[in-house]
Amino acid sequence: MAKKLDLKNTLTLEKILSKQGFGTRKLCRIMIINEEITVNGELCDDPDATFELEKLSFTVKGERWEYREKSYLMLHKPSDYECSHKTQHHPTIYSLLPHPLVVRDVQCIGRLDEDTTGLILISDDGQFIHRMSSPKYKVPKIYEVTCKHPVSDEQILHILKGVQLIDEDAPIAALSCERISENVIHMTLAEGKYHQVKRMVAAISNRVEALKRIQIGELKLPDDLKVREWKWLSEVDMLLLSVK
Ligand code: URA
């Protein structure tokens, strides 16, 4: 059973649950006393029992969790969801996540438009959010763009050479632009400007019919992550995202 330890990397069960987003300390205390929590496979009804945080796993009302100092996850964003906590017309993407993560105040990294689908990163680690979103690091993002009209070679060349967008000082070019089929291109961008893909495609006299983000850095949207589903980023995923 739990030992009373006096080590730095330990916390009481009540504090652990509260820090992980399961509610106020009082609420967590009540859940523990009500025998709703197991830790490392054993029931624990003592809110003041102390546990080492390293590799700590626990269940809350039967659902399994691991202690995580910070949260790093990816979501396959559906269409008709907004990347905001305070939405205007559609539900928020945060409603697709477990409530404790929302309590931890996770934020999405680089918003997608409400009608855009695909890969979105979410975290509560301010440094990570900054590193992934700062223009300084130019993390490439790849979009699958379905256009209204067939995409010509000239249009692709134009996107690669750079297009002038209203309110921008200089033309903006895609890092790469590859035709996948008559109307579909894969476009890699180093920036994340407002409606950037749609504005660039409009600037070449075409129009975006559907937009999906399929890759950030070296991290691809996994084939088995269905629309609306989320998953924790693995160590390998984090390496694929590391900025060179
Ligand atoms: N560019 C757009 O136009 N929309 C997005 O959602 C992302 C990139």
Side-chain angles (χ1 to χ4, degrees):
M1 214 28 214
K3 295 183 197 103
K4 304 270 174 187
L5 293 169
D6 187 25
L7 295 172
K8 253 201 177 149
N9 211 19
T10 64
L11 280 180
T12 63
L13 185 54
E14 176 187 306
K15 279 192 193 159
I16 290 170
L17 293 181
S18 186
K19 250 173 82 94
Q20 296 291 286
F22 289 91
T24 59
R25 290 196 29 200
K26 188 171 163 188
L27 213 105
C28 292
R29 200 172 185 86
I30 293 170
M31 285 199 297
I32 299 164
I33 293 167
N34 279 345
E35 302 188 348
E36 289 175 320
I37 313 296
T38 69
V39 183
N40 298 333
E42 283 182 53
L43 180 78
C44 180
D45 60 2
D46 176 5
D48 299 316
T50 316
F51 291 93
E52 282 190 64
L53 303 179
E54 184 94 356
K55 297 206 172 102
L56 180 76
S57 84
F58 56 93
T59 63
V60 179
K61 298 181 183 167
E63 195 175 344
R64 190 164 177 277
W65 290 84
E66 272 166 35
Y67 179 86
R68 291 169 199 266
E69 188 60 36
K70 297 283 178 202
S71 323
Y72 306 92
L73 43 137
M74 65 169 95
L75 170 73
H76 189 161
K77 180 190 175 293
S79 187
D80 297 329
Y81 274 75
E82 290 181 35
C83 289
S84 163
H85 282 283
K86 289 195 184 117
T87 57
Q88 290 186 321
H89 308 292
H90 296 288
T92 166
I93 55 161
Y94 299 105
S95 64
L96 300 169
L97 304 178
H99 189 61
L101 291 179
V102 182
V103 174
R104 287 178 69 160
D105 202 22
V106 291
Q107 307 291 331
C108 65
I109 306 174
R111 293 182 177 193
L112 293 176
D113 298 337
E114 60 193 36
D115 54 352
T116 302
T117 61
L119 179 60
I120 192 145
L121 302 176
I122 297 175
S123 179
D124 57 357
D125 178 347
Q127 270 186 349
F128 178 72
I129 295 172
H130 174 72
R131 199 158 46 76
M132 296 310 300
S133 55
S134 163
K136 188 172 137 196
Y137 295 106
K138 293 187 167 42
V139 177
K141 289 131 206 137
I142 307 185
Y143 295 89
E144 183 171 274
V145 192
T146 307
C147 298
K148 185 174 170 67
H149 309 290
V151 186
S152 66
D153 290 348
E154 289 71 32
Q155 288 178 328
I156 289 186
L157 279 175
H158 195 171
I159 279 183
L160 288 171
K161 255 181 74 187
V163 296
Q164 185 63 52
L165 301 179
I166 296 166
D167 294 340
E168 294 298 330
D169 296 338
I172 299 181
L175 294 177
S176 76
C177 186
E178 196 188 338
R179 191 171 24 233
I180 304 301
S181 66
E182 223 186 12
N183 290 48
V184 179
I185 51 174
H186 282 180
M187 197 164 149
T188 308
L189 298 181
E191 313 85 358
K193 295 184 187 296
Y194 181 67
H195 290 335
Q196 187 172 343
V197 174
K198 290 175 185 162
R199 288 158 70 212
M200 287 178 77
V201 170
I204 56 160
S205 307
N206 209 322
R207 191 192 147 125
V208 172
E209 291 277 287
L211 185 58
K212 179 178 185 182
R213 185 155 64 193
I214 54 172
Q215 188 170 330
I216 299 175
E218 302 288 314
L219 177 70
K220 290 185 168 60
L221 178 69
D223 288 338
D224 59 355
L225 188 69
K226 298 195 187 83
V227 182
R228 304 171 67 92
E229 282 183 354
W230 68 276
K231 75 179 209 56
W232 298 108
L233 294 182
S234 67
E235 253 176 70
V236 173
D237 295 335
M238 292 300 275
L239 278 174
L240 293 170
L241 287 170
S242 58
V243 177
K244 292 174 188 101

